[in-house]
Amino acid sequence: ALGPLVNHVLARLAESSHEATNWEMAARFARLPGASRCDRQSTAEVLSIMQPKQLAKLLTDVVVGALGIHVDGVIRRLAQDPQSAAQWATRARLASLEQNARLALCRSLLPVLDKLKPEVREEVTQLLGGADERP
């Protein structure tokens, strides 16, 4: 039987058009809960070459949590498209990111600040304005 993380990733992959090579990526996710640091890093590298629009659909809280410290490069890739980053961003997701990834994502959201949900806009302006001192 497939683990819950794999089922989750496979469901996300099925929702959008992806090439067959993404099955390899999904297989890597199967090993994430018990994966070594190298496996998680390799998976993050695979995700980092995906289109930001795909990442906005695939990067659920479960996936972000499973990647752990290796999510920064994936978030930087997502941040390359402000519209996709805006679609993905929530207050909880921003708070879950480490500082560098959070800053990169918030900076990418500046061009679409007026289109963000009010709570996300508040987080972005607080962080970039220096008012948010949470770890």
Side-chain angles (χ1 to χ4, degrees), residues 6-128:
V6 175
N7 288 331
H8 176 81
V9 171
L10 291 176
R12 291 293 176 180
L13 290 173
E15 289 175 4
S16 58
S17 60
H18 290 281
E19 298 174 4
T21 57
N22 286 323
W23 288 105
E24 177 185 332
M25 182 191 67
R28 289 176 185 238
F29 272 109
R31 299 188 305 265
L32 279 177
S36 70
R37 181 177 178 191
C38 183
D39 288 337
R40 290 173 188 249
Q41 185 174 358
S42 296
T43 301
E45 288 171 7
V46 169
L47 289 171
S48 293
I49 63 171
M50 294 182 73
Q51 294 298 315
K53 189 173 183 176
Q54 293 171 317
L55 290 174
K57 293 178 182 178
L58 184 62
L59 286 179
T60 63
D61 299 337
V62 172
V63 174
V64 171
L67 289 172
I69 63 169
H70 302 290
V71 77
D72 285 7
V74 180
I75 295 299
R76 288 181 192 281
R77 176 66 173 143
L78 174 64
Q80 290 177 354
D81 177 21
Q83 297 294 333
S84 296
Q87 175 189 345
W88 182 83
T90 65
R91 174 178 274 174
R93 286 178 173 168
L94 289 174
S96 74
L97 299 174
E98 292 192 17
Q99 190 71 8
N100 289 337
R102 213 170 153 207
L103 279 169
L105 189 66
C106 286
R107 286 183 185 123
S108 79
L109 293 171
L110 287 175
V112 293
L113 198 60
D114 61 327
K115 294 179 176 74
L116 297 175
K117 296 172 221 143
E119 65 274 7
V120 175
R121 185 180 320 118
E122 179 182 338
E123 286 291 313
V124 170
T125 56
Q126 284 181 354
L127 180 67
L128 297 179

